[in-house]
Amino acid sequence: MAESGINQTTHDHPAVFRVEEGLELKADLPGLHTKNLFLKDKKGRLWLISAAQDTVIDLKRAHRTLGSDRLSFGNEVLMWETLGVRPGSVTALGLINDVNRRVTFVLDQRLWEADIVNFHPLTNTATTALSQADFRRILSLLGREPLVVDFDALD
């Protein structure tokens, strides 16, 4: 990130495996915090959904909006092969490892509009804060255009 002129602030902390575990840890950190779901549909397509930590994602309804078949959680092997992370460390920043672009990136509308977004930096023992401009620059450098979804408005 530094080589690309991307400003970020990374805070180290004990390992966090679920959103609920990190609420107290992240309470003092500015910006919108995330949850990230690595998913696979019935046709084998892979999806990464990054959403605000308190966004409700109904997988039984989301697949219609995404244009996918029924969604389920992707396994650890696929996660490692595509994003280079283990369970508990799933992050949009893992897209850097998806050189074959197997994963479709879905972004919660709230994250797309947030001034500061927070993601794990490929490990769940830290949180990296990025301005929206720097986050979008990362996506641009990776050649990734997210599918932006308002999960709160799903019918």
Side-chain angles (χ1 to χ4, degrees), residues 63-130:
H63 71 92
R64 290 188 294 266
T65 300
L66 304 180
S68 73
D69 283 328
R70 189 175 50 101
L71 295 162
S72 60
F73 288 95
N75 68 43
E76 183 175 354
V77 172
L78 276 174
M79 184 185 301
W80 181 253
E81 286 175 1
T82 55
L83 299 177
V85 296
R86 302 284 183 208
S89 297
V90 178
T91 173
L93 300 177
L95 292 168
I96 193 170
N97 294 319
D98 184 24
V99 293
N100 294 322
R101 298 180 189 268
R102 292 175 58 195
V103 179
T104 299
F105 182 45
V106 180
L107 188 66
D108 182 3
Q109 180 76 37
R110 291 174 58 205
L111 288 181
W112 189 245
E113 296 171 351
D115 292 334
I116 298 173
V117 293
N118 292 280
F119 292 97
H120 286 311
L122 306 182
T123 179
N124 64 355
T125 58
T127 297
T128 296
L130 298 158

Side-chain angles (χ1 to χ4, degrees):
M1 287 190 237
E3 290 175 11
S4 298
I6 294 170
N7 295 314
Q8 55 82 25
T9 303
T10 298
H11 304 273
D12 294 321
H13 52 69
V16 176
F17 292 91
R18 300 178 50 83
V19 168
E20 299 79 25
E21 294 174 11
L23 293 177
E24 199 172 301
L25 268 173
K26 297 182 275 186
D28 294 332
L29 303 179
L32 201 53
H33 295 276
T34 59
K35 65 178 166 188
N36 299 275
L37 307 177
F38 179 70
L39 306 167
K40 180 179 177 181
D41 71 15
K42 286 178 72 174
K43 292 184 178 178
R45 293 181 294 180
L46 303 176
W47 304 83
L48 171 61
I49 297 177
S50 292
Q53 69 183 4
D54 60 347
T55 297
V56 175
I57 300 173
D58 183 348
L59 295 181
K60 292 178 182 176
R61 295 184 335 177
H63 71 92
R64 290 188 294 266
T65 300
L66 304 180
S68 73
D69 283 328
R70 189 175 50 101
L71 295 162
S72 60
F73 288 95
N75 68 43
E76 183 175 354
V77 172
L78 276 174
M79 184 185 301
W80 181 253
E81 286 175 1
T82 55
L83 299 177
V85 296
R86 302 284 183 208
S89 297
V90 178
T91 173
L93 300 177
L95 292 168
I96 193 170
N97 294 319
D98 184 24
V99 293
N100 294 322
R101 298 180 189 268
R102 292 175 58 195
V103 179
T104 299
F105 182 45
V106 180
L107 188 66
D108 182 3
Q109 180 76 37
R110 291 174 58 205
L111 288 181
W112 189 245
E113 296 171 351
D115 292 334
I116 298 173
V117 293
N118 292 280
F119 292 97
H120 286 311
L122 306 182
T123 179
N124 64 355
T125 58
T127 297
T128 296
L130 298 158
S131 70
Q132 186 62 236
D134 283 318
F135 176 57
R136 290 185 187 194
R137 178 159 172 161
I138 288 171
L139 294 177
S140 177
L141 289 169
L142 296 176
R144 302 304 284 254
E145 183 72 28
L147 172 58
V148 179
V149 173
D150 183 353
F151 287 100
D152 293 331
L154 289 186
D155 51 335

